[in-house]
Structure formats: C-alpha cells, structure tokens
Amino acid sequence: MKYHNPVIKGFYPDPSVCKVNDTYYLVCSSMQYFPGVPLFESKDLINWTQIGHCLTRKSQIQLDKVNSSGGVFAPTLRYNNGRFYMTTTNDTTRQNFFIWTDDIYGEWSEPIYVDQGGIDPDLYFEDNKTYFMSNGTDDLGIGGIVQCQIDIETGRKLTPSRSIWQGTGGRFLEAPHLYKINGWYYLLAAEGGTEFGHMATYARGASPSGPFEAYPHNPVLTNRNLGGYEVQAVGHGDLVQDEFGSWWLLHLGFRQIGQWIPYHHLGREVFLTPVTFGVDGWFTAGHNGTTLSSFELDHLPNDVNQQEKKCYTFENTEWEKDWCYLRHPQHDHYALEDNKLVLTGTGVTLDQAGSPTFIGIRQKDFNAVISCDVSLSNGEAGITLYMDENHHYDFAIRKVSSGYEVIERLNVGDIKAIVNAIDVKQVNRASLVIQASHTRYRFLLQVDGEEIELGTAQTKYLSSEVAGGFTGVIIGLYAYGEACSAEFSHFKCEYL
Ligand code: 6LW
C-alpha cells in the first residue's frame, strides 16, 4: 500500500500523537491563532479528521497582543488512567502548562501551570509518577532536556529540574518525548532548528531519568542532506505504535515551492514516516534516515485508502473547527451562518499585531482556485493571503469618494502598496477569484462571467524564509472600517 506525505497539509506544526483503543489523536501548535492547538483523530494514521481544538477559552490562553508566531508553541498529547493531557507553552509569557479532559470530544480544563522553563513540554507517566520534560536549563544551570517530577493534580514540582540529556551537539535541542519500549527508555528530540538543518535524534537508557546513551547513528531522521528535494526541515516528531505492532513517527516538515526554490509558504505540515526497531533495540526511520513524499510499504493494511478533501466551502466546513481568528475575536463582529458570513469592521487593520475582523482557513496546497462574493456598504472587505501583519496580499472591494473600487494590495515588509485597482463605480459587490500556483497568486475580478486580471504576486514573498516565524499562509476573509458591514457568500477553495 502506498501513501503520500504530508498526511495533514497546511500550517499544522509540531505534531504530537497518542493512541487510545483503536483511535489515534494528534495535536499541533497554533501560535497567535485562536482557537488554539488543533485536535485531530484517525483510525489509520493516514486519514485525519479535525475534531476540535484544546484551547477554546480565553481563560486557557491569553493571546491579546502576542506577536505573530508568539503564543502557543509545541504541544504534547498523552493519555493516562482514563484522562487525556495536553501540555504546551505560551511562548509570549514563557509559561508551561497543561490541561486535561476525560472526554476528548468535549471541553478541556483550565490551565495548570508548571514551574519549569523552556519550551516543548512533554509528560511521561509511570508507577503513579509524572515526569515533566522541556528544553532549557536545569536548576544547576546545565542545559539540555530538563526533567522534573510533578503532582499531576496541581502541577507542583516534586523534584528539582535536572538536565537528563544534552543531545548530540546540534543547535536548538528541543521537542523531547520519553517512551518505554521493550524495557528501554527512549528519549526522542529535535536538533538543528526547525528549518533546513532540522533533525530528529534520540538516546536510550535503563531509567526514565537516564543516563541516556545516544543512538550511534544520529540523526535518526533528517532531509538536510537532500539538496533540492521538495520535502525539507523534517524533525520534531512523536512515536506511536499501530495495532499491528509497527512503529511510526509523526513529525513536521515543509514542502518548498520548487525543487531548487528554497522557500515555503504553506507552513510546517504533518508527515508520517515508518520506524523499524532492530534486534539491538535501536530504531531507524524512513528511507535511509530521510522522509519521502510517499512511502510504499507492505506492512500497511491494503484496505487503507488515503482520502483528500479538495474543496472547502462555507457549507462543508465548520466555523469552530476549520476556521480560525487572529488572537481573540470580538464575536459580535461575526455573523457565522451556513452559507454566508457577515463581518463588521473595526479600526484594526491587517497591518497590526492585533485582532482585526478576520476569519481564516489554512492554505493546504499550492495549486488552488479561491473565490468568494463580497458586498459592503462602507470601508473595505475581501480576501487576504496572510502570513503575518507585515506579509499579506489583499484582494478587496472598498468604498471611495467616487463609489467603489476593487484593489490588489501587496504588503511585503516595508513595502505596502495598492498595485492595481479597478473602478467599479456604484457597484458595491464583487466576485473575487484568486488562482494559486507553486510560485504565484493571480488576482481576477469576475464581471458578467468574464475574468479581469488585476495582477499577480509571487508566493515566495509570503514565505517563512522572507517573513520569518513559524506559521503558514492563511486564506482570510476580512472587513476593515468602523462603518463597514460586509457580506461574504459562495466561498470556495478548490485544490487542483
Ligand atoms: C516549537 C519548537 C520550535 O515549539 O518552534 O523551532 C516552536 N522549534 O520545537 C514553534 O513551532
């Protein structure tokens, strides 16, 4: 059976997975977007369905004013004694915390904070003990993967924080996950930074607190030596065993725009890579330690059929699952109906690290046709291809003194310009179409069945390599202006 990577497309970084009975559950980081920590389920590790988010209340996570790519960093999802736990970091306040639920399809608890620094927290449960790990510096000032024991009811530290492994010398040692497999304790981590030098490394020991011996052939997984290969930056993974006893790594990676075009704008996505344990107890991963865009494996059940949703509309998506806001929205500015959306603008623009009137869906692939009808009274409303407040392309209709105009605005760093505009006189509605490819977006106004091209813009100027940060392009619908009431209908994002 053959499957294609990524198994979850679009800006869904830092995956963590656990298996309960016959179902796999997976979470990802979400930075400044709300709700936070998208939550998925699967029966086969290949087809994933979002079931909600873990952070759905402002009391769980404070995102007001967090910078782009601040906020919610990597999470870990674990299950112990009938209870799910999700631990993560609010990187803006530098606080590690966890929440829990006894119903993964329901609400999660209020945050329980842990007084250990660093990022990428992990939980490991054994013999009524809870081990909490993160990267950073321990109480003796030693760096590495730092561990303490905590009271899982209160989060209180029960032991000092101690560095238990210092990695293999790569920069940015992070993403620790501890497992007990066949009598050995395995400590998996990431090194090299979440870009082209990214790696997965690991060590093993006879105790949950080490000492740990590094796998002799680290990194166990990296694409850093595959110059020109589309899949790059693989690392930051979590191990899981399937019902047939095979092991897998779900990890992040990104797809660059082209074979020799080292830019990515879709964000870091979720990849599935096979893992093999040797008789010596060490494991290897992937194809000679690399991740491929597809794997053909005889130990995958033949009845697994990889499905992919290609068309997203208002009618076939769910506002609270598929869509997201920038930080905390003012809900009375959003009228979310099954087949239309009415947005009320404010004075907050897309150029501010705030919460403009904006609701978005992750761009999940390169080639797409994005379309929506927009009508408004005042102000401005339309579609934005949004990486952050300094890197977004806006395709909108706006009120001007002579009536209305449709504009193409490019915002790339210090360059913020309306590069094309069409005067639509007294017509206060527009049918907007954006054609997306690997390298370009084309902006077309549909008038009486004809398409008028306003212009095009390169995808690479919305890439993480240009913008920086840890997110990916979000297809946003927005309204701006105190007196702006905008109606959106017939939204469709079709991947080709
Ligand atoms: C994540 C950490 C990282 O917590 O980026 O670069 C953070 N490495 O593993 C956000 O994705």
Side-chain angles (χ1 to χ4, degrees):
M1 184 271 173
K2 183 174 188 177
Y3 72 87
H4 295 276
N5 270 319
V7 292
I8 301 179
K9 292 184 171 182
F11 155 52
Y12 292 108
D14 307 315
S16 174
V17 62
C18 71
K19 184 171 184 291
V20 179
N21 302 324
D22 66 349
T23 305
Y24 303 92
Y25 298 98
L26 182 145
V27 290
C28 295
S29 54
S30 50
M31 284 80 201
Q32 74 269 26
Y33 290 96
F34 187 80
V37 185
L39 173 62
F40 297 84
E41 70 175 354
S42 172
K43 298 291 188 184
D44 55 29
L45 288 173
I46 289 166
N47 296 290
W48 291 90
T49 303
Q50 186 168 356
I51 56 177
H53 292 82
C54 297
L55 299 174
T56 56
R57 304 187 303 274
K58 196 167 183 176
S59 59
Q60 292 171 306
I61 186 72
Q62 242 304 336
L63 294 174
D64 286 331
K65 304 285 181 257
V66 303
N67 292 330
S68 285
S69 287
V72 179
F73 270 30
T76 294
L77 181 68
R78 291 293 182 259
Y79 183 76
N80 186 57
N81 287 341
R83 180 163 283 185
F84 287 92
Y85 296 91
M86 190 285 291
T87 183
T88 188
T89 311
N90 180 335
D91 186 60
T92 301
T93 60
R94 299 302 276 187
Q95 286 176 305
N96 284 313
F97 65 93
F98 63 90
I99 54 177
W100 56 265
T101 185
D102 296 330
D103 172 11
I104 196 141
Y105 301 96
E107 288 290 306
W108 290 72
S109 74
E110 288 300 287
I112 299 169
Y113 294 92
V114 178
D115 183 21
Q116 176 167 299
I119 59 172
D120 298 358
D122 183 45
L123 290 170
Y124 174 74
F125 300 96
E126 184 176 282
D127 298 340
N128 293 322
K129 291 178 183 168
T130 303
Y131 297 84
F132 179 88
M133 283 142 287
S134 59
N135 80 345
T137 305
D138 72 7
D139 294 345
L140 302 175
I142 302 169
I145 301 300
V146 177
Q147 182 189 82
C148 66
Q149 289 181 39
I150 63 169
D151 175 338
I152 196 59
E153 296 301 321
T154 65
R156 186 168 61 88
K157 269 177 71 171
L158 302 176
T159 65
S161 297
R162 287 290 179 271
S163 176
I164 59 172
W165 191 49
Q166 292 76 40
T168 66
R171 65 178 187 157
F172 303 137
L173 174 65
E174 54 201 1
H177 290 306
L178 186 64
Y179 316 86
K180 186 172 187 181
I181 304 169
N182 303 329
W184 283 104
Y185 292 89
Y186 292 86
L187 182 57
L188 175 69
E191 296 182 50
T194 195
E195 301 85 16
F196 291 89
H198 213 192
M199 304 172 273
T201 60
Y202 77 97
R204 76 179 182 191
S207 145
S209 303
F212 292 98
E213 177 194 1
Y215 169 53
H217 307 295
N218 273 317
V220 65
L221 188 75
T222 185
N223 280 16
R224 65 181 182 175
N225 301 320
L226 299 183
Y229 189 60
E230 61 172 310
V231 175
Q232 289 290 331
V234 299
H236 197 122
D238 205 359
L239 282 174
V240 69
Q241 186 174 28
D242 68 20
E243 67 270 29
F244 307 104
S246 299
W247 284 90
W248 302 88
L249 191 64
L250 282 144
H251 60 87
L252 73 78
F254 61 63
R255 292 177 288 161
Q256 54 187 41
I257 293 174
Q259 188 182 8
W260 298 103
I261 312 177
Y263 296 88
H264 76 285
H265 61 290
L266 300 178
R268 294 165 302 156
E269 306 171 287
V270 180
F271 288 74
L272 177 69
T273 294
V275 164
T276 305
F277 276 85
V279 292
D280 58 5
W282 296 113
F283 66 81
T284 59
H287 174 72
N288 301 326
T290 68
T291 286
L292 304 179
S293 51
S294 65
F295 281 98
E296 182 116 34
L297 301 167
D298 55 13
H299 63 276
L300 265 178
N302 286 322
D303 62 350
V304 172
N305 177 17
Q306 189 168 19
Q307 306 284 332
E308 186 176 0
K309 184 172 179 176
K310 290 283 194 180
C311 183
Y312 294 78
T313 64
F314 285 161
E315 293 79 9
N316 76 2
T317 56
E318 295 183 58
W319 296 111
E320 71 283 352
K321 286 180 190 165
D322 300 288
W323 298 77
C324 59
Y325 304 95
L326 275 165
R327 302 168 188 89
H328 296 294
Q330 291 178 272
H331 285 291
D332 55 349
H333 291 163
Y334 300 78
L336 311 174
E337 299 174 29
D338 285 349
N339 58 4
K340 75 173 179 179
L341 167 73
V342 179
L343 297 181
T344 303
T346 67
V348 182
T349 73
L350 293 170
D351 297 357
Q352 296 167 256
S355 188
T357 301
F358 163 108
I359 189 165
I361 190 167
R362 288 154 171 86
Q363 183 178 344
K364 302 176 192 296
D365 226 325
F366 297 102
N367 300 311
V369 177
I370 304 156
S371 55
C372 197
D373 294 344
V374 193
S375 64
L376 84 173
S377 51
N378 287 294
E380 176 181 314
I383 305 172
T384 181
L385 299 166
Y386 186 92
M387 175 57 96
D388 65 23
E389 64 275 14
N390 296 313
H391 301 83
H392 55 89
Y393 298 155
D394 311 333
F395 187 29
I397 182 169
R398 70 174 185 171
K399 183 80 172 64
V400 290
S401 55
S402 60
Y404 294 90
E405 66 178 2
V406 172
I407 60 168
E408 175 201 351
R409 174 190 297 115
L410 306 185
N411 176 329
V412 178
D414 300 325
I415 305 166
K416 305 172 193 293
I418 293 176
V419 294
N420 288 296
I422 292 182
D423 180 351
V424 292
K425 304 191 185 338
Q426 301 311 311
V427 175
N428 73 334
R429 62 179 56 255
S431 293
L432 306 175
V433 178
I434 300 174
Q435 292 176 352
S437 70
H438 282 74
T439 56
R440 276 191 179 275
Y441 294 107
R442 290 180 66 214
F443 303 96
L444 305 117
L445 176 62
Q446 209 162 50
V447 180
D448 302 332
E450 297 293 316
E451 289 186 341
I452 305 167
E453 181 176 301
L454 273 81
T456 73
Q458 292 188 65
T459 56
K460 79 175 185 180
Y461 295 118
L462 298 185
S463 70
S464 299
E465 286 72 23
V466 169
F470 300 119
T471 58
V473 169
I474 305 276
I475 301 164
L477 305 178
Y478 76 97
Y480 163 67
E482 297 294 351
C484 175
S485 174
E487 180 174 307
F488 296 77
S489 60
H490 304 99
F491 173 84
K492 183 161 76 169
C493 178
E494 186 142 33
Y495 292 102
L496 308 176

